[in-house]
Structures are given as C-alpha cells and as structure tokens.
Amino acid sequence: MANTMTNILQIVGTDEVQDKMDDLFESAGGYADTTQFVNTFYGTEFEGGVKFDWLYDNVGAKWIYVENAIDRGNWNISSANYTPKEFWIHLYKLAVKIDPNVEIEVQYHDEGYEPVGGFVVKKDHEGNPAWSEEEDYQMEDPTADMDWEDEDYDDLQMQFMEDVDDAMEHCMNYAHDTVWSGKGQPIEI
C-alpha cells in the first residue's frame, strides 16, 4: 500500500456553498499541515499535532492536507493510505447547512493506482443523505518497468493516465447511482 492518496474533490452546489467551502479550504493550511486543516474544519484547537486515533475516527486517515486549489469548489487533497471517508461525510454535513442539495464528489488514487476510486455523498431519490464508494484494484501501469526515454513510453503513459481518469469516473458514477437508488450508506445530519 502506498502512503499518499490523491483526492480530487468537487463540491457540486450553489455559488454560496462553493464560496464558503473554498474559504474554509483556503484557511486550512498547506503542505503537511494536518493540524491547521483539522482545526479549520472541525473547530478544534489542537497544537503541535493531532493524535492518530482521533484522526482515524474523525477524518479517516492519519494525516490530511490541502495540496492545491484546482478551480472553484474543486480541490486536490492529500491523505495517508485511504481516502478520508469520515472527512467527506463531515464536509457534506457542513455544506448541506448552506445548500440542501449539495453533493460531494471525490475521485482518488494512491501512488501505485491500487486503488483508484470514487466517493459520493448526496441525497438519494427520496431525499435521504447517504454515501457510497467504489474502488478498482485492476489498474496496472504499463510504464512501471520502463525508462522514460524508452520508445513508446510517452504514448503508453498518456493512455494509462486516460485509463485511470476513466476508471475513477466510472467508480464515481457507480457511487452516484448507488446513492440515488437508495442503496447508499445512510448518514445522520
């Protein structure tokens, strides 16, 4: 298992919810600043670090931080080993207070592309909030044993990255469908 999980977050909602969530992310610190991230989103006052058991219980990973902004309501978040499910659910609970129809979409992969996945938090067809996740462990990088100057390396790498994007999108769409059908994991608001 790789150490770093890349999580591409999209907040789907009104301008107001995107702006408010963007303000939180902009205040959440930067590279490797888990303490500031947690204090910003959870209203805590940790100093000098956050205990791993608290992080696993409340965030879902032993560290988390903002890698960079991508676009309005769209962020690159790094976490340790897993996508931070508990944080995505917590973020939804913050956002749904502003926009009752907000959706949290996450596409993710670890350094070795095992897994790639999609995570969604939204309301089902009856208006009940729930989450779902789908993962794919079948991605194999065809350039893993190649040197970057090898013939066909660039083409193979480009095709592989397109395949990774397609797999993450497929997983996210599956998670969307699972929640919408009423088969997602319910959450309490």
Side-chain angles (χ1 to χ4, degrees), residues 55-99:
L55 286 164
Y56 281 119
D57 290 345
N58 295 281
V59 174
K62 71 179 179 180
W63 51 259
I64 186 171
Y65 62 86
V66 174
E67 190 73 46
N68 61 284
I70 297 171
D71 200 359
R72 184 175 196 209
N74 192 247
W75 292 84
N76 180 355
I77 308 298
S78 290
S79 61
N81 303 75
Y82 309 99
T83 195
K85 295 175 195 176
E86 285 75 8
F87 174 70
W88 305 134
I89 294 165
H90 178 75
L91 182 65
Y92 176 81
K93 289 177 180 181
L94 295 174
V96 78
K97 292 175 185 175
I98 301 163
D99 176 1

mmCIF file of all heavy atoms in Angstrom, residues 55-99:
data_model
loop_
_atom_site.group_PDB
_atom_site.id
_atom_site.type_symbol
_atom_site.label_atom_id
_atom_site.label_comp_id
_atom_site.label_asym_id
_atom_site.label_seq_id
_atom_site.Cartn_x
_atom_site.Cartn_y
_atom_site.Cartn_z
ATOM 1 N N LEU A 55 -7.655 11.212 14.483
ATOM 2 C CA LEU A 55 -7.703 11.384 13.030
ATOM 3 C C LEU A 55 -8.424 10.224 12.350
ATOM 4 O O LEU A 55 -9.273 10.432 11.490
ATOM 5 C CB LEU A 55 -6.293 11.537 12.461
ATOM 6 C CG LEU A 55 -5.646 12.897 12.731
ATOM 7 C CD1 LEU A 55 -4.147 12.839 12.488
ATOM 8 C CD2 LEU A 55 -6.287 13.973 11.864
ATOM 9 N N TYR A 56 -8.094 8.992 12.726
ATOM 10 C CA TYR A 56 -8.769 7.844 12.118
ATOM 11 C C TYR A 56 -10.277 7.877 12.396
ATOM 12 O O TYR A 56 -11.083 7.616 11.510
ATOM 13 C CB TYR A 56 -8.177 6.529 12.603
ATOM 14 C CG TYR A 56 -6.885 6.159 11.906
ATOM 15 C CD1 TYR A 56 -5.706 6.020 12.612
ATOM 16 C CD2 TYR A 56 -6.844 5.950 10.527
ATOM 17 C CE1 TYR A 56 -4.520 5.681 11.977
ATOM 18 C CE2 TYR A 56 -5.663 5.610 9.884
ATOM 19 C CZ TYR A 56 -4.511 5.479 10.610
ATOM 20 O OH TYR A 56 -3.346 5.146 9.970
ATOM 21 N N ASP A 57 -10.646 8.231 13.628
ATOM 22 C CA ASP A 57 -12.066 8.249 13.996
ATOM 23 C C ASP A 57 -12.845 9.382 13.322
ATOM 24 O O ASP A 57 -14.009 9.202 12.968
ATOM 25 C CB ASP A 57 -12.230 8.392 15.517
ATOM 26 C CG ASP A 57 -11.812 7.151 16.282
ATOM 27 O OD1 ASP A 57 -11.659 6.074 15.660
ATOM 28 O OD2 ASP A 57 -11.625 7.267 17.509
ATOM 29 N N ASN A 58 -12.227 10.522 13.145
ATOM 30 C CA ASN A 58 -12.938 11.712 12.676
ATOM 31 C C ASN A 58 -12.646 12.130 11.235
ATOM 32 O O ASN A 58 -13.453 12.827 10.625
ATOM 33 C CB ASN A 58 -12.638 12.893 13.606
ATOM 34 C CG ASN A 58 -13.183 12.652 14.986
ATOM 35 O OD1 ASN A 58 -14.369 12.825 15.222
ATOM 36 N ND2 ASN A 58 -12.339 12.214 15.912
ATOM 37 N N VAL A 59 -11.501 11.718 10.727
ATOM 38 C CA VAL A 59 -11.093 12.088 9.377
ATOM 39 C C VAL A 59 -11.052 10.861 8.466
ATOM 40 O O VAL A 59 -11.441 10.927 7.316
ATOM 41 C CB VAL A 59 -9.720 12.803 9.395
ATOM 42 C CG1 VAL A 59 -9.203 13.074 7.995
ATOM 43 C CG2 VAL A 59 -9.801 14.098 10.196
ATOM 44 N N GLY A 60 -10.556 9.752 9.006
ATOM 45 C CA GLY A 60 -10.454 8.530 8.216
ATOM 46 C C GLY A 60 -9.064 8.254 7.685
ATOM 47 O O GLY A 60 -8.870 7.317 6.919
ATOM 48 N N ALA A 61 -8.086 9.068 8.080
ATOM 49 C CA ALA A 61 -6.699 8.886 7.661
ATOM 50 C C ALA A 61 -5.792 9.493 8.729
ATOM 51 O O ALA A 61 -6.223 10.369 9.475
ATOM 52 C CB ALA A 61 -6.445 9.553 6.315
ATOM 53 N N LYS A 62 -4.539 9.039 8.787
ATOM 54 C CA LYS A 62 -3.650 9.533 9.842
ATOM 55 C C LYS A 62 -3.073 10.913 9.567
ATOM 56 O O LYS A 62 -2.493 11.527 10.442
ATOM 57 C CB LYS A 62 -2.532 8.535 10.137
ATOM 58 C CG LYS A 62 -1.482 8.413 9.072
ATOM 59 C CD LYS A 62 -0.415 7.409 9.486
ATOM 60 C CE LYS A 62 0.620 7.265 8.401
ATOM 61 N NZ LYS A 62 1.646 6.318 8.772
ATOM 62 N N TRP A 63 -3.203 11.407 8.337
ATOM 63 C CA TRP A 63 -2.902 12.801 8.029
ATOM 64 C C TRP A 63 -3.696 13.226 6.804
ATOM 65 O O TRP A 63 -4.136 12.397 6.014
ATOM 66 C CB TRP A 63 -1.416 13.090 7.861
ATOM 67 C CG TRP A 63 -0.618 12.229 6.928
ATOM 68 C CD1 TRP A 63 0.211 11.206 7.293
ATOM 69 C CD2 TRP A 63 -0.538 12.316 5.493
ATOM 70 N NE1 TRP A 63 0.776 10.647 6.161
ATOM 71 C CE2 TRP A 63 0.345 11.314 5.049
ATOM 72 C CE3 TRP A 63 -1.137 13.141 4.549
ATOM 73 C CZ2 TRP A 63 0.641 11.115 3.719
ATOM 74 C CZ3 TRP A 63 -0.840 12.944 3.200
ATOM 75 C CH2 TRP A 63 0.052 11.946 2.812
ATOM 76 N N ILE A 64 -3.866 14.541 6.684
ATOM 77 C CA ILE A 64 -4.632 15.134 5.584
ATOM 78 C C ILE A 64 -4.193 16.584 5.449
ATOM 79 O O ILE A 64 -3.902 17.249 6.442
ATOM 80 C CB ILE A 64 -6.156 15.043 5.842
ATOM 81 C CG1 ILE A 64 -6.957 15.513 4.635
ATOM 82 C CG2 ILE A 64 -6.540 15.770 7.109
ATOM 83 C CD1 ILE A 64 -8.456 15.239 4.740
ATOM 84 N N TYR A 65 -4.110 17.054 4.212
ATOM 85 C CA TYR A 65 -3.807 18.470 3.996
ATOM 86 C C TYR A 65 -4.233 18.887 2.595
ATOM 87 O O TYR A 65 -4.485 18.055 1.725
ATOM 88 C CB TYR A 65 -2.329 18.789 4.241
ATOM 89 C CG TYR A 65 -1.356 18.074 3.332
ATOM 90 C CD1 TYR A 65 -1.025 18.595 2.086
ATOM 91 C CD2 TYR A 65 -0.758 16.882 3.725
ATOM 92 C CE1 TYR A 65 -0.130 17.950 1.263
ATOM 93 C CE2 TYR A 65 0.142 16.233 2.904
ATOM 94 C CZ TYR A 65 0.455 16.775 1.668
ATOM 95 O OH TYR A 65 1.339 16.123 0.851
ATOM 96 N N VAL A 66 -4.301 20.210 2.405
ATOM 97 C CA VAL A 66 -4.632 20.781 1.106
ATOM 98 C C VAL A 66 -3.374 20.753 0.247
ATOM 99 O O VAL A 66 -2.354 21.336 0.618
ATOM 100 C CB VAL A 66 -5.138 22.234 1.240
ATOM 101 C CG1 VAL A 66 -5.340 22.865 -0.124
ATOM 102 C CG2 VAL A 66 -6.407 22.295 2.065
ATOM 103 N N GLU A 67 -3.450 20.079 -0.872
ATOM 104 C CA GLU A 67 -2.345 20.084 -1.833
ATOM 105 C C GLU A 67 -2.423 21.359 -2.673
ATOM 106 O O GLU A 67 -1.469 22.091 -2.759
ATOM 107 C CB GLU A 67 -2.430 18.839 -2.715
ATOM 108 C CG GLU A 67 -1.236 18.600 -3.584
ATOM 109 C CD GLU A 67 -0.021 18.125 -2.819
ATOM 110 O OE1 GLU A 67 -0.119 17.235 -1.974
ATOM 111 O OE2 GLU A 67 1.065 18.670 -3.106
ATOM 112 N N ASN A 68 -3.578 21.598 -3.286
ATOM 113 C CA ASN A 68 -3.761 22.829 -4.055
ATOM 114 C C ASN A 68 -5.224 22.971 -4.493
ATOM 115 O O ASN A 68 -5.960 21.992 -4.537
ATOM 116 C CB ASN A 68 -2.849 22.881 -5.284
ATOM 117 C CG ASN A 68 -3.100 21.743 -6.257
ATOM 118 O OD1 ASN A 68 -2.706 20.614 -6.020
ATOM 119 N ND2 ASN A 68 -3.776 22.045 -7.358
ATOM 120 N N ALA A 69 -5.569 24.223 -4.810
ATOM 121 C CA ALA A 69 -6.877 24.504 -5.407
ATOM 122 C C ALA A 69 -6.781 24.175 -6.886
ATOM 123 O O ALA A 69 -5.747 24.384 -7.517
ATOM 124 C CB ALA A 69 -7.240 25.969 -5.216
ATOM 125 N N ILE A 70 -7.871 23.651 -7.441
ATOM 126 C CA ILE A 70 -7.911 23.355 -8.870
ATOM 127 C C ILE A 70 -8.775 24.391 -9.569
ATOM 128 O O ILE A 70 -8.387 24.957 -10.581
ATOM 129 C CB ILE A 70 -8.455 21.928 -9.114
ATOM 130 C CG1 ILE A 70 -7.504 20.904 -8.484
ATOM 131 C CG2 ILE A 70 -8.654 21.664 -10.604
ATOM 132 C CD1 ILE A 70 -8.027 19.493 -8.464
ATOM 133 N N ASP A 71 -9.937 24.641 -9.012
ATOM 134 C CA ASP A 71 -10.896 25.581 -9.583
ATOM 135 C C ASP A 71 -11.914 25.867 -8.484
ATOM 136 O O ASP A 71 -11.848 25.293 -7.401
ATOM 137 C CB ASP A 71 -11.569 24.948 -10.808
ATOM 138 C CG ASP A 71 -12.207 25.959 -11.736
ATOM 139 O OD1 ASP A 71 -12.162 27.166 -11.448
ATOM 140 O OD2 ASP A 71 -12.757 25.529 -12.763
ATOM 141 N N ARG A 72 -12.865 26.684 -8.765
ATOM 142 C CA ARG A 72 -13.897 26.999 -7.787
ATOM 143 C C ARG A 72 -14.612 25.721 -7.338
ATOM 144 O O ARG A 72 -15.132 24.963 -8.158
ATOM 145 C CB ARG A 72 -14.895 27.955 -8.403
ATOM 146 C CG ARG A 72 -15.939 28.422 -7.438
ATOM 147 C CD ARG A 72 -16.774 29.448 -8.125
ATOM 148 N NE ARG A 72 -17.523 30.175 -7.127
ATOM 149 C CZ ARG A 72 -18.687 30.708 -7.388
ATOM 150 N NH1 ARG A 72 -19.213 30.596 -8.588
ATOM 151 N NH2 ARG A 72 -19.324 31.352 -6.458
ATOM 152 N N GLY A 73 -14.612 25.460 -6.030
ATOM 153 C CA GLY A 73 -15.262 24.280 -5.484
ATOM 154 C C GLY A 73 -14.561 22.975 -5.804
ATOM 155 O O GLY A 73 -15.115 21.897 -5.602
ATOM 156 N N ASN A 74 -13.313 23.054 -6.259
ATOM 157 C CA ASN A 74 -12.568 21.880 -6.717
ATOM 158 C C ASN A 74 -11.168 21.918 -6.120
ATOM 159 O O ASN A 74 -10.426 22.870 -6.361
ATOM 160 C CB ASN A 74 -12.541 21.925 -8.252
ATOM 161 C CG ASN A 74 -12.074 20.659 -8.889
ATOM 162 O OD1 ASN A 74 -11.017 20.644 -9.494
ATOM 163 N ND2 ASN A 74 -12.855 19.603 -8.795
ATOM 164 N N TRP A 75 -10.833 20.887 -5.332
ATOM 165 C CA TRP A 75 -9.591 20.886 -4.567
ATOM 166 C C TRP A 75 -8.861 19.562 -4.686
ATOM 167 O O TRP A 75 -9.479 18.512 -4.800
ATOM 168 C CB TRP A 75 -9.899 21.158 -3.088
ATOM 169 C CG TRP A 75 -10.380 22.554 -2.883
ATOM 170 C CD1 TRP A 75 -11.662 23.008 -3.027
ATOM 171 C CD2 TRP A 75 -9.590 23.678 -2.550
ATOM 172 N NE1 TRP A 75 -11.710 24.358 -2.794
ATOM 173 C CE2 TRP A 75 -10.452 24.796 -2.494
ATOM 174 C CE3 TRP A 75 -8.247 23.863 -2.276
ATOM 175 C CZ2 TRP A 75 -10.010 26.069 -2.176
ATOM 176 C CZ3 TRP A 75 -7.804 25.132 -1.958
ATOM 177 C CH2 TRP A 75 -8.679 26.213 -1.912
ATOM 178 N N ASN A 76 -7.531 19.634 -4.603
ATOM 179 C CA ASN A 76 -6.677 18.457 -4.528
ATOM 180 C C ASN A 76 -6.267 18.300 -3.062
ATOM 181 O O ASN A 76 -5.562 19.149 -2.517
ATOM 182 C CB ASN A 76 -5.452 18.644 -5.424
ATOM 183 C CG ASN A 76 -4.500 17.479 -5.403
ATOM 184 O OD1 ASN A 76 -4.668 16.522 -4.655
ATOM 185 N ND2 ASN A 76 -3.465 17.558 -6.218
ATOM 186 N N ILE A 77 -6.721 17.232 -2.439
ATOM 187 C CA ILE A 77 -6.469 16.978 -1.023
ATOM 188 C C ILE A 77 -5.629 15.703 -0.905
ATOM 189 O O ILE A 77 -5.986 14.676 -1.477
ATOM 190 C CB ILE A 77 -7.792 16.776 -0.242
ATOM 191 C CG1 ILE A 77 -8.759 17.936 -0.495
ATOM 192 C CG2 ILE A 77 -7.535 16.545 1.239
ATOM 193 C CD1 ILE A 77 -8.272 19.283 -0.056
ATOM 194 N N SER A 78 -4.535 15.764 -0.165
ATOM 195 C CA SER A 78 -3.703 14.580 0.067
ATOM 196 C C SER A 78 -4.032 13.981 1.424
ATOM 197 O O SER A 78 -4.267 14.711 2.393
ATOM 198 C CB SER A 78 -2.217 14.942 0.025
ATOM 199 O OG SER A 78 -1.833 15.261 -1.293
ATOM 200 N N SER A 79 -4.040 12.660 1.465
ATOM 201 C CA SER A 79 -4.273 11.961 2.728
ATOM 202 C C SER A 79 -3.397 10.713 2.772
ATOM 203 O O SER A 79 -2.850 10.285 1.757
ATOM 204 C CB SER A 79 -5.755 11.587 2.885
ATOM 205 O OG SER A 79 -6.174 10.729 1.842
ATOM 206 N N ALA A 80 -3.308 10.139 3.949
ATOM 207 C CA ALA A 80 -2.469 8.963 4.148
ATOM 208 C C ALA A 80 -3.270 7.688 3.914
ATOM 209 O O ALA A 80 -4.301 7.473 4.552
ATOM 210 C CB ALA A 80 -1.899 8.949 5.561
ATOM 211 N N ASN A 81 -2.795 6.868 3.009
ATOM 212 C CA ASN A 81 -3.241 5.494 2.808
ATOM 213 C C ASN A 81 -4.661 5.302 2.294
ATOM 214 O O ASN A 81 -4.918 4.349 1.575
ATOM 215 C CB ASN A 81 -3.075 4.665 4.086
ATOM 216 C CG ASN A 81 -1.658 4.657 4.579
ATOM 217 O OD1 ASN A 81 -1.206 5.647 5.125
ATOM 218 N ND2 ASN A 81 -0.946 3.564 4.399
ATOM 219 N N TYR A 82 -5.601 6.120 2.693
ATOM 220 C CA TYR A 82 -7.016 5.928 2.349
ATOM 221 C C TYR A 82 -7.626 7.258 1.966
ATOM 222 O O TYR A 82 -7.171 8.314 2.393
ATOM 223 C CB TYR A 82 -7.809 5.384 3.555
ATOM 224 C CG TYR A 82 -7.207 4.182 4.201
ATOM 225 C CD1 TYR A 82 -6.449 4.302 5.361
ATOM 226 C CD2 TYR A 82 -7.374 2.918 3.639
ATOM 227 C CE1 TYR A 82 -5.880 3.187 5.949
ATOM 228 C CE2 TYR A 82 -6.812 1.800 4.231
ATOM 229 C CZ TYR A 82 -6.060 1.940 5.385
ATOM 230 O OH TYR A 82 -5.499 0.840 5.958
ATOM 231 N N THR A 83 -8.726 7.192 1.200
ATOM 232 C CA THR A 83 -9.498 8.405 1.031
ATOM 233 C C THR A 83 -10.177 8.678 2.378
ATOM 234 O O THR A 83 -10.641 7.750 3.038
ATOM 235 C CB THR A 83 -10.527 8.278 -0.123
ATOM 236 O OG1 THR A 83 -10.997 9.578 -0.458
ATOM 237 C CG2 THR A 83 -11.665 7.355 0.186
ATOM 238 N N PRO A 84 -10.195 9.914 2.845
ATOM 239 C CA PRO A 84 -10.701 10.224 4.189
ATOM 240 C C PRO A 84 -12.236 10.265 4.242
ATOM 241 O O PRO A 84 -12.850 11.329 4.289
ATOM 242 C CB PRO A 84 -10.076 11.581 4.488
ATOM 243 C CG PRO A 84 -9.919 12.216 3.144
ATOM 244 C CD PRO A 84 -9.604 11.090 2.194
ATOM 245 N N LYS A 85 -12.846 9.093 4.251
ATOM 246 C CA LYS A 85 -14.312 8.980 4.197
ATOM 247 C C LYS A 85 -15.004 9.806 5.261
ATOM 248 O O LYS A 85 -15.987 10.495 4.979
ATOM 249 C CB LYS A 85 -14.741 7.525 4.375
ATOM 250 C CG LYS A 85 -14.308 6.616 3.293
ATOM 251 C CD LYS A 85 -14.693 5.188 3.634
ATOM 252 C CE LYS A 85 -13.955 4.234 2.744
ATOM 253 N NZ LYS A 85 -14.207 2.844 3.072
ATOM 254 N N GLU A 86 -14.518 9.724 6.489
ATOM 255 C CA GLU A 86 -15.175 10.454 7.579
ATOM 256 C C GLU A 86 -15.114 11.962 7.344
ATOM 257 O O GLU A 86 -16.044 12.689 7.692
ATOM 258 C CB GLU A 86 -14.576 10.071 8.931
ATOM 259 C CG GLU A 86 -15.006 8.701 9.421
ATOM 260 C CD GLU A 86 -14.315 7.529 8.703
ATOM 261 O OE1 GLU A 86 -13.377 7.756 7.907
ATOM 262 O OE2 GLU A 86 -14.731 6.384 8.936
ATOM 263 N N PHE A 87 -14.013 12.432 6.741
ATOM 264 C CA PHE A 87 -13.935 13.860 6.436
ATOM 265 C C PHE A 87 -14.939 14.234 5.351
ATOM 266 O O PHE A 87 -15.599 15.272 5.439
ATOM 267 C CB PHE A 87 -12.529 14.294 6.017
ATOM 268 C CG PHE A 87 -12.511 15.726 5.562
ATOM 269 C CD1 PHE A 87 -12.696 16.758 6.468
ATOM 270 C CD2 PHE A 87 -12.366 16.047 4.221
ATOM 271 C CE1 PHE A 87 -12.741 18.086 6.054
ATOM 272 C CE2 PHE A 87 -12.403 17.361 3.789
ATOM 273 C CZ PHE A 87 -12.586 18.386 4.709
ATOM 274 N N TRP A 88 -15.074 13.432 4.304
ATOM 275 C CA TRP A 88 -16.028 13.766 3.232
ATOM 276 C C TRP A 88 -17.443 13.859 3.791
ATOM 277 O O TRP A 88 -18.202 14.747 3.408
ATOM 278 C CB TRP A 88 -15.980 12.753 2.096
ATOM 279 C CG TRP A 88 -14.629 12.535 1.479
ATOM 280 C CD1 TRP A 88 -14.058 11.328 1.183
ATOM 281 C CD2 TRP A 88 -13.667 13.523 1.075
ATOM 282 N NE1 TRP A 88 -12.816 11.518 0.626
ATOM 283 C CE2 TRP A 88 -12.553 12.852 0.556
ATOM 284 C CE3 TRP A 88 -13.647 14.920 1.106
ATOM 285 C CZ2 TRP A 88 -11.435 13.515 0.058
ATOM 286 C CZ3 TRP A 88 -12.525 15.585 0.632
ATOM 287 C CH2 TRP A 88 -11.435 14.887 0.107
ATOM 288 N N ILE A 89 -17.777 12.958 4.699
ATOM 289 C CA ILE A 89 -19.106 12.987 5.324
ATOM 290 C C ILE A 89 -19.247 14.243 6.189
ATOM 291 O O ILE A 89 -20.272 14.927 6.147
ATOM 292 C CB ILE A 89 -19.351 11.701 6.131
ATOM 293 C CG1 ILE A 89 -19.417 10.502 5.170
ATOM 294 C CG2 ILE A 89 -20.615 11.812 6.974
ATOM 295 C CD1 ILE A 89 -19.307 9.147 5.849
ATOM 296 N N HIS A 90 -18.199 14.572 6.945
ATOM 297 C CA HIS A 90 -18.211 15.784 7.770
ATOM 298 C C HIS A 90 -18.346 17.029 6.886
ATOM 299 O O HIS A 90 -19.137 17.945 7.192
ATOM 300 C CB HIS A 90 -16.932 15.855 8.607
ATOM 301 C CG HIS A 90 -16.827 17.070 9.447
ATOM 302 N ND1 HIS A 90 -17.555 17.255 10.598
ATOM 303 C CD2 HIS A 90 -16.075 18.197 9.288
ATOM 304 C CE1 HIS A 90 -17.261 18.433 11.135
ATOM 305 N NE2 HIS A 90 -16.370 19.018 10.351
ATOM 306 N N LEU A 91 -17.625 17.065 5.776
ATOM 307 C CA LEU A 91 -17.702 18.194 4.853
ATOM 308 C C LEU A 91 -19.123 18.337 4.300
ATOM 309 O O LEU A 91 -19.655 19.447 4.208
ATOM 310 C CB LEU A 91 -16.699 18.004 3.707
ATOM 311 C CG LEU A 91 -16.625 19.126 2.682
ATOM 312 C CD1 LEU A 91 -16.118 20.415 3.329
ATOM 313 C CD2 LEU A 91 -15.707 18.716 1.524
ATOM 314 N N TYR A 92 -19.732 17.233 3.967
ATOM 315 C CA TYR A 92 -21.115 17.262 3.494
ATOM 316 C C TYR A 92 -22.028 17.867 4.557
ATOM 317 O O TYR A 92 -22.875 18.716 4.243
ATOM 318 C CB TYR A 92 -21.593 15.853 3.126
ATOM 319 C CG TYR A 92 -23.045 15.815 2.734
ATOM 320 C CD1 TYR A 92 -23.450 16.164 1.446
ATOM 321 C CD2 TYR A 92 -24.032 15.460 3.650
ATOM 322 C CE1 TYR A 92 -24.786 16.146 1.079
ATOM 323 C CE2 TYR A 92 -25.370 15.436 3.288
ATOM 324 C CZ TYR A 92 -25.748 15.785 2.008
ATOM 325 O OH TYR A 92 -27.072 15.777 1.662
ATOM 326 N N LYS A 93 -21.848 17.463 5.800
ATOM 327 C CA LYS A 93 -22.690 17.976 6.883
ATOM 328 C C LYS A 93 -22.521 19.487 7.051
ATOM 329 O O LYS A 93 -23.481 20.190 7.382
ATOM 330 C CB LYS A 93 -22.387 17.249 8.191
ATOM 331 C CG LYS A 93 -22.870 15.805 8.188
ATOM 332 C CD LYS A 93 -22.485 15.098 9.469
ATOM 333 C CE LYS A 93 -22.965 13.666 9.485
ATOM 334 N NZ LYS A 93 -22.607 12.973 10.735
ATOM 335 N N LEU A 94 -21.321 19.996 6.831
ATOM 336 C CA LEU A 94 -21.110 21.443 6.870
ATOM 337 C C LEU A 94 -21.783 22.118 5.674
ATOM 338 O O LEU A 94 -22.454 23.139 5.811
ATOM 339 C CB LEU A 94 -19.612 21.770 6.854
ATOM 340 C CG LEU A 94 -18.775 21.335 8.052
ATOM 341 C CD1 LEU A 94 -17.297 21.607 7.785
ATOM 342 C CD2 LEU A 94 -19.235 22.040 9.317
ATOM 343 N N ALA A 95 -21.611 21.524 4.503
ATOM 344 C CA ALA A 95 -22.097 22.141 3.268
ATOM 345 C C ALA A 95 -23.618 22.095 3.142
ATOM 346 O O ALA A 95 -24.220 23.035 2.630
ATOM 347 C CB ALA A 95 -21.441 21.457 2.064
ATOM 348 N N VAL A 96 -24.244 21.022 3.612
ATOM 349 C CA VAL A 96 -25.692 20.874 3.443
ATOM 350 C C VAL A 96 -26.464 21.898 4.273
ATOM 351 O O VAL A 96 -27.616 22.201 3.969
ATOM 352 C CB VAL A 96 -26.137 19.419 3.739
ATOM 353 C CG1 VAL A 96 -26.208 19.149 5.244
ATOM 354 C CG2 VAL A 96 -27.454 19.093 3.053
ATOM 355 N N LYS A 97 -25.823 22.491 5.278
ATOM 356 C CA LYS A 97 -26.449 23.567 6.047
ATOM 357 C C LYS A 97 -26.613 24.828 5.190
ATOM 358 O O LYS A 97 -27.468 25.662 5.457
ATOM 359 C CB LYS A 97 -25.614 23.900 7.280
ATOM 360 C CG LYS A 97 -25.582 22.802 8.319
ATOM 361 C CD LYS A 97 -24.643 23.161 9.452
ATOM 362 C CE LYS A 97 -24.511 22.021 10.444
ATOM 363 N NZ LYS A 97 -23.512 22.316 11.477
ATOM 364 N N ILE A 98 -25.779 24.956 4.163
ATOM 365 C CA ILE A 98 -25.801 26.120 3.280
ATOM 366 C C ILE A 98 -26.635 25.837 2.032
ATOM 367 O O ILE A 98 -27.386 26.677 1.571
ATOM 368 C CB ILE A 98 -24.360 26.510 2.884
ATOM 369 C CG1 ILE A 98 -23.549 26.827 4.146
ATOM 370 C CG2 ILE A 98 -24.353 27.686 1.911
ATOM 371 C CD1 ILE A 98 -22.058 26.831 3.922
ATOM 372 N N ASP A 99 -26.457 24.635 1.491
ATOM 373 C CA ASP A 99 -27.159 24.238 0.267
ATOM 374 C C ASP A 99 -27.735 22.841 0.483
ATOM 375 O O ASP A 99 -26.992 21.859 0.507
ATOM 376 C CB ASP A 99 -26.189 24.237 -0.915
ATOM 377 C CG ASP A 99 -26.812 23.735 -2.209
ATOM 378 O OD1 ASP A 99 -28.010 23.390 -2.237
ATOM 379 O OD2 ASP A 99 -26.070 23.679 -3.211
#
